[in-house]
Amino acid sequence: MQFSPIGHTIISLPSIDSTNNYAANLLNETNVLNGTVIMAKNQTKGRGQRGNIWEVNPDENLTFSIVLNDLKLKLNHQFLISIWVSISVSHFLKENLFIENVIKWPNDILVNNQKICGVLIENSVRGDNISNSIVGVGLNVNQQVFSDGYSATSVKNIKGNSIDIKQILESLLIYLNRYYPLLKSTNNELLFEKYYECLLGYKKNINLKEEGVVFKGEVVSVAPTGIISIKKEDGETKDYSFKQISFIL
Ligand code: BTN
């Protein structure tokens, strides 16, 4: 039988501040096997992108982190990790649960313009290489009501029934393992091909916002650094890093 590196070991916790924090502490204290997964039923201080908090109901959602420490990735290729996890989640939702979705750059997964999954990747760097990466995933599963002003949805809101969270993790791991060889490959063409297939606004006009100004443009490409290239309606192409541009849904 083929070895599946992602999730060969699953540490299951009832409650923790953040699975990303737990993974970071574990890496400090001991040798962690590549692909170890830490999942928690409840996070008391879940963290999101840009220093935000990731606050979801206990016991109702999938929150886990994957430790990767066998990647031979240069820091300027860090976005490949993001692509790997987002295409895995996107294909899992589409093919396993029949939920249509898109990836909003950099790595949010949206269903009907509402967020169903967020990803927080924290890398440790040695020289210009990534020595290890903690890939935190928050997938909304059985929660039905979200905080005001937060446009989110869940598997239950779409499918109508509750789903076992452990079962969701097991199925998602199949997809993470399926696409892992693409992340490990020295040729990242296929990884990008898969990303573009799922990416919101790829070669399609969408509304974007830069410094408060809304304009129309389309995604031309995304670099392995994560920098996105946008072609504006007037024909100008401009590169943006995180925080410099947002998508208007
Ligand atoms: C985002 O802001 O979209 C990213 C959310 C990431 C949440 C997950 S839940 C598991 C892991 N542990 C954390 O504290 N955050 C990530």
Side-chain angles (χ1 to χ4, degrees):
M1 214 171 84
Q2 221 188 335
F3 176 64
S4 300
I6 310 300
H8 55 78
T9 302
I10 299 176
I11 301 172
S12 220
L13 306 164
S15 184
I16 192 73
D17 53 351
S18 149
T19 55
N20 270 35
N21 294 354
Y22 186 95
N25 291 335
L26 207 60
L27 276 164
N28 277 337
E29 286 162 10
T30 174
N31 281 334
V32 186
L33 282 176
N34 182 62
T36 297
V37 163
I38 297 111
M39 76 169 289
K41 286 187 172 174
N42 179 33
Q43 291 188 127
T44 52
K45 275 191 188 148
R47 294 187 288 110
Q49 292 162 18
R50 305 185 181 106
N52 290 327
I53 53 167
W54 183 257
E55 202 174 13
V56 288
N57 292 349
D59 299 323
E60 294 187 354
N61 300 290
L62 177 60
T63 49
F64 71 101
S65 303
I66 309 161
V67 175
L68 300 179
N69 53 15
D70 81 338
L71 296 174
K72 291 178 179 64
L73 268 190
K74 294 277 176 215
L75 185 57
N76 62 9
H77 279 59
Q78 61 176 328
F79 196 66
L80 302 185
I81 305 172
S82 223
I83 294 182
W84 163 66
V85 68
S86 52
I87 62 170
S88 302
V89 175
S90 178
H91 280 266
F92 158 69
L93 289 173
K94 241 178 258 175
E95 292 159 23
N96 192 278
L97 296 175
F98 308 107
I99 297 177
E100 285 303 319
N101 65 87
V102 290
I103 302 171
K104 180 166 78 71
W105 176 84
N107 53 23
D108 286 350
I109 313 287
L110 309 182
V111 177
N112 302 327
N113 285 348
Q114 293 178 308
K115 186 157 160 173
I116 194 165
C117 180
V119 178
L120 176 68
I121 299 175
E122 296 177 297
N123 295 324
S124 299
V125 179
R126 194 171 299 137
D128 61 353
N129 293 305
I130 295 172
S131 50
N132 59 57
S133 180
I134 297 169
V135 182
V137 180
L139 176 66
N140 301 333
V141 180
N142 292 324
Q143 182 166 339
Q144 289 188 281
V145 180
F146 295 87
S147 310
D148 285 350
Y150 188 67
S151 183
T153 192
S154 65
V155 173
K156 183 166 185 176
N157 280 352
I158 295 147
K159 304 293 289 181
N161 54 303
S162 293
I163 304 195
D164 181 66
I165 290 163
K166 210 60 198 273
Q167 181 57 53
I168 290 256
L169 174 64
E170 292 296 335
S171 307
L172 176 52
L173 286 174
I174 295 171
Y175 287 81
L176 288 159
N177 278 299
R178 181 175 299 168
Y179 293 112
Y180 192 58
L182 300 190
L183 174 60
K184 299 277 289 173
S185 164
T186 47
N187 178 355
N188 50 45
E189 249 174 57
L190 203 50
L191 204 60
F192 275 102
E193 201 178 287
K194 298 266 170 218
Y195 185 61
Y196 291 145
E197 273 168 22
C198 311
L199 187 63
L200 176 70
Y202 180 67
K203 294 197 174 159
K204 280 197 195 94
N205 246 344
I206 39 157
N207 289 320
L208 298 150
K209 191 153 113 186
E210 177 186 5
E211 288 177 353
V213 180
V214 176
F215 65 96
K216 280 195 193 303
E218 59 178 49
V219 178
V220 178
S221 61
V222 179
T225 51
I227 301 267
I228 192 166
S229 252
I230 301 286
K231 186 174 170 195
K232 299 185 180 185
E233 263 189 326
D234 63 8
E236 182 204 359
T237 301
K238 192 171 165 186
D239 290 348
Y240 297 90
S241 59
F242 307 111
K243 296 185 196 167
Q244 287 182 324
I245 195 165
S246 52
F247 289 69
I248 310 286
L249 301 171

